[in-house]
Amino acid sequence: RGQLWARGCVGKVATISLVLSPQFEQSSLQAVHQQRRELLSNICNRYTRKRRLLGPDDLRHLVVDDTHGLLYCYVPKVACTNWKRVMMVLTGQGKYRDPLEIPANEAHVSSNLRTLSEYSIPEINHRLRSYLKFIFVREPFERLVSAYRNKFTRSYNTAFHKRYGTKIIRRHRQEPSDKALERGDDVRFEEFVYYLLDPRTQREEPFNEHWERVHSLCHPCIVHYDVVGKYETLAEDANYILQLVGADTSIKFPSSSKTTRTTDDMTAQFFQDISPFYQRRLFNLYKMDYLLFNYSIPSYLRIR
């Protein structure tokens, strides 16, 4: 079995963007992304002692666009449905014109997009070296609450209720009703936190991708991302990437009109009932994502 080695492509973004546009806006964005890459690199150097090699399993979240030379590591609950739609337009040879015409469920059909794990080792290494690589991240606890709300408070997510809800209730609720044990559709946020912190959880299986840490999904200390986009600056970062790869100007990243979006205030409410002891432990669980992507400790936490 061959080994995969991820090396960065230094300076690629700068050279491409300078050719693209000398505009002030472009250069200020360039500076922002340069800072994000430098911070990421510094934190990686400080906290990762051993450089491990990537196996095919580690590359299942990296979506490939061979037409534009693009690699996108998708993170659930960080606009990944819209990014997958855009990637389908970019790779679809004209089959799709408008990302918003693609139904959400179709965007998540795995056969619609190729991931890096499907390529041979020489092909993987070539793409890691020469393609533009990007990722989108979000404030970790906001993403976590968004995942909880979507998977455990929506009646249509019966697969998650059965798969995870029943187990969480069985382990972390005192005297659960037979109905709750059977349906698993009323998991409280507090119980979800206990489940995440239970040592048995990760011993038995990896976290589900919706609450797995970004550094475990996308390996930002091994794969050197050229652009680290943020959910908080989604529109401008998305347009920046589309410009960088010379995408057709008719391709627009869908603007979010969601009124149900999880906000910082909403996240704070969910944490009101979590004790400082468990807040601290949960923060430690997601600490690397906070450090790598430059998010500060939320003001609502009682862990100082």
Side-chain angles (χ1 to χ4, degrees), residues 152-171:
F152 295 109
T153 70
R154 304 279 190 269
S155 57
Y156 56 78
N157 264 323
T158 49
F160 269 79
H161 303 158
K162 286 277 188 212
R163 170 90 171 73
Y164 297 100
T166 52
K167 180 192 268 190
I168 292 170
I169 289 166
R170 189 172 71 249
R171 283 193 175 167

Side-chain angles (χ1 to χ4, degrees), residues 7 13 29 42 63 129 132 173 183 196 210 237 287:
R7 283 210 302 274
V13 176
L29 262 175
N42 290 339
V63 175
R129 274 195 303 270
L132 185 96
R173 183 176 298 179
R183 293 174 62 167
L196 294 171
H210 290 84
D237 290 348
K287 187 176 178 178

Side-chain angles (χ1 to χ4, degrees), residues 253-292:
F253 190 84
S255 61
S256 175
S257 57
K258 270 193 168 179
T259 48
T260 56
R261 174 170 114 62
T262 303
T263 61
D264 187 57
D265 288 348
M266 203 183 286
T267 304
Q269 286 172 359
F270 277 88
F271 275 86
Q272 270 178 346
D273 299 329
I274 307 297
S275 73
F277 174 75
Y278 284 107
Q279 287 185 4
R280 153 93 41 209
R281 289 187 57 202
L282 194 68
F283 178 78
N284 286 337
L285 187 64
Y286 288 88
K287 187 176 178 178
M288 272 309 285
D289 282 358
Y290 274 96
L291 290 170
L292 289 165

